[in-house]
Amino acid sequence: MKVLHLPAETGTGHNMRALAVAAKVRTLFPGAEQHVYLGSKSALFTPMFEELGVHVHTASDQQDHANTSQLARRFDWTSYVTGYLNRTFISGDRMLAAIALIGSVRPDVVVSDYNVAACLAAEVSGVPYVLVTERYDFTLGQIDNAALLEAGFILDDPDEVDAIRASLTTLFRWVTRRARAVLTDKPDVPELDRGTPVFEALAAGNGHVVGPIVRDECAADPAPRAEIDARFGLHGTEYAIVGFGGTTMFTENKERLLAEYLTAFEKLRTEHPDARLVVIGRQTFTEEVDGVVLVDYVSDWHSLVKHSKVILSPPGWLSVTELAVMNAPVAYVLSGRDEYHEREAMTRLDHLGYTTATEPDADTLLAILRTAFDEPEAFRRRAAEASKAIAPTGNGAEAAAKLIGQVVAEASAGRQLAEAV
């Protein structure tokens, strides 16, 4: 069996899910040959995949979507389709590159993690594909014009935005219907998802909610606290973790949120002088702040999380699933209403019962931190109850690997039957 993983090129979450699936494919199908194409963060992820024996192919024009604004305030075809989607999810250049790679590798199956160009390339190449997706439709399909206006976008022609939305849903519906299997790690909420392509795939039988697609480390026992203390300088403290990384629509939102976090933490220390703050920001920091540990990225963060008092995280879905598996005391923070790509996730997390805050000021963040430090058991119980809906049982990565193997077996049987006829 030969598997080609083609994760979307917009951040670490898609790569990390592909890594988790690749690990389970190796375990369940030890003779499988695996390849992956990394369009972002290849320096970080290449050794992780190579450790699993996966052949790595990389892009020459990688862009860090965490540190670059993706959208303009004016929301129209030029800014959204030409300026954003054409550089990320729907690209003739990326589709042709994927076709070339498929022709070179000659896989038995393509595994696309929310990479529509990869799905189109597989279909054109006559190779069965499995779609792994955290979204039930393109993001715009679950965000209406009123929400865009409320977020501060300028819609000169609402009908044009409606046309973009309808076109994207049509494309995504075609992709889900042509996929041999559609796998999602996001539990469906009918009032949010009814009528979406993935919800329809679940009803049709080729869609599967597999549960969290995460690495085994997330469920493993953490490293001793002493190791974490030595690594991050946290000896004798209780600490909070805050994150503001991930793909961002407007970099000013990240900058503002960091300032609010630091102000909130400064106020918290008047009540908890031994507290520390670990800031994970997907960028390089040059200034030191008393009591604050600033880091770019922590790939093995499960031990850091499991010893923490509280985590304030952006609602990137890979982080959501990992934190749910870790049963972490987490609250979710959206840096700006105009980070439209995460509005749906925030609505879902609020619906599931998590503590959430959208575009918060320092006082709002302080209230969350204070509750977590002063009433830790109540705060942890609320997060744990919400996490049950996301991580009820089992390992989604293993379920995904089994379904991928099933797709390959069925495709092989189909070819043999065709040849016999």
Side-chain angles (χ1 to χ4, degrees):
M1 180 169 75
K2 190 182 291 186
V3 182
L4 174 58
H5 301 273
L6 292 173
E9 302 178 25
T10 56
T12 60
H14 301 289
N15 289 351
M16 195 65 81
R17 248 192 313 268
L19 183 71
V21 172
K24 290 301 178 182
V25 168
R26 187 180 76 158
T27 299
L28 296 176
F29 308 98
E33 178 183 325
Q34 297 191 79
H35 297 253
V36 66
Y37 180 82
L38 298 177
S40 63
K41 293 289 184 181
S42 63
L44 175 66
F45 280 93
T46 291
M48 296 184 193
F49 278 99
E50 289 181 340
E51 187 176 346
L52 296 174
V54 179
H55 303 274
V56 177
H57 310 262
T58 59
S60 59
D61 61 339
Q62 298 198 9
Q63 180 177 355
D64 190 343
H65 295 274
N67 295 316
T68 305
S69 294
Q70 302 301 314
L71 293 183
R73 294 293 173 186
R74 196 171 300 278
F75 202 103
D76 56 21
W77 190 281
T78 299
S79 66
Y80 184 64
V81 177
T82 306
Y84 174 52
L85 292 181
N86 191 53
R87 296 184 294 107
T88 51
F89 299 102
I90 305 170
S91 164
D93 175 54
R94 283 167 170 74
M95 185 182 74
L96 289 172
I99 290 173
L101 184 58
I102 291 169
S104 173
V105 172
R106 301 179 67 83
D108 296 305
V109 63
V110 166
V111 181
S112 159
D113 192 306
Y114 198 56
N115 185 341
V116 172
C119 297
L120 297 175
E123 185 70 17
V124 169
S125 302
V127 176
Y129 67 87
V130 172
L131 173 64
V132 180
T133 175
E134 68 191 56
R135 301 189 185 276
Y136 279 62
D137 193 353
F138 271 110
T139 306
L140 189 61
Q142 292 186 278
I143 300 291
D144 60 21
N145 288 355
L148 293 174
L149 290 168
E150 185 265 340
F153 288 105
I154 300 169
L155 278 59
D156 289 331
D157 187 350
D159 290 340
E160 181 180 64
V161 179
D162 289 338
I164 297 171
R165 183 182 292 106
S167 299
L168 289 172
T169 296
T170 297
L171 174 59
F172 203 62
R173 181 169 285 114
W174 183 89
V175 166
T176 57
R177 288 177 175 175
R178 297 295 296 178
R180 298 298 179 92
V182 178
L183 314 180
T184 183
D185 53 4
K186 181 176 280 185
D188 60 283
V189 176
E191 53 263 48
L192 300 179
D193 303 319
R194 189 175 288 110
T196 62
V198 171
F199 195 82
E200 291 171 357
L202 296 176
N206 74 318
H208 309 269
V209 179
V210 297
I213 303 176
V214 299
R215 299 165 294 162
D216 286 341
E217 294 95 309
C218 292
D221 292 334
R225 174 65 195 262
E227 290 185 18
I228 299 301
D229 290 344
R231 182 175 175 185
F232 296 98
L234 298 169
H235 179 72
T237 71
E238 291 183 323
Y239 63 91
I241 301 171
V242 300
F244 65 105
T247 300
T248 183
M249 296 299 106
F250 298 98
T251 54
E252 57 265 33
N253 289 333
K254 289 180 61 178
E255 295 165 356
R256 183 196 61 80
L257 183 58
L258 175 59
E260 300 292 352
Y261 274 141
L262 295 179
T263 300
F265 176 65
E266 184 179 2
K267 294 180 179 180
L268 179 71
R269 289 190 83 193
T270 64
E271 305 165 17
H272 297 273
D274 293 330
R276 295 290 182 273
L277 186 70
V278 180
V279 178
I280 304 174
R282 290 268 303 273
Q283 66 186 60
T284 300
F285 298 97
T286 57
E287 297 183 10
E288 293 187 3
V289 181
D290 184 43
V292 178
V293 179
L294 300 165
V295 294
D296 172 16
Y297 185 75
V298 182
S299 61
D300 56 341
W301 75 324
H302 73 286
S303 292
L304 182 67
V305 164
K306 289 180 179 180
H307 290 297
S308 67
K309 199 77 171 177
V310 58
I311 303 94
L312 276 65
S313 173
W317 202 254
L318 189 279
S319 296
V320 170
T321 54
E322 288 192 339
L323 290 165
V325 168
M326 289 187 274
N327 205 23
V330 60
Y332 288 100
V333 178
L334 184 61
S335 61
R337 288 176 172 80
D338 45 7
E339 296 292 326
Y340 90 103
H341 63 305
E342 291 180 333
R343 291 287 294 273
E344 173 271 326
M346 284 294 279
T347 301
R348 189 176 305 262
L349 292 168
D350 186 63
H351 179 91
L352 294 175
Y354 286 103
T355 299
T356 62
T358 297
E359 210 169 87
D361 58 18
D363 288 338
T364 300
L365 296 170
L366 175 62
I368 297 173
L369 290 169
R370 183 182 283 141
T371 300
F373 273 78
D374 294 343
E375 304 172 40
E377 294 306 317
F379 188 88
R380 186 176 288 273
R381 276 197 305 271
R382 177 175 180 177
E385 189 63 30
S387 292
K388 289 178 182 178
I390 295 171
T393 58
N395 187 315
E398 182 173 325
K402 288 178 179 178
L403 286 163
I404 289 166
Q406 180 179 322
V407 165
V408 173
E410 290 174 353
S412 176
R415 285 194 301 270
Q416 291 175 7
L417 181 62
E419 291 169 0
V421 173

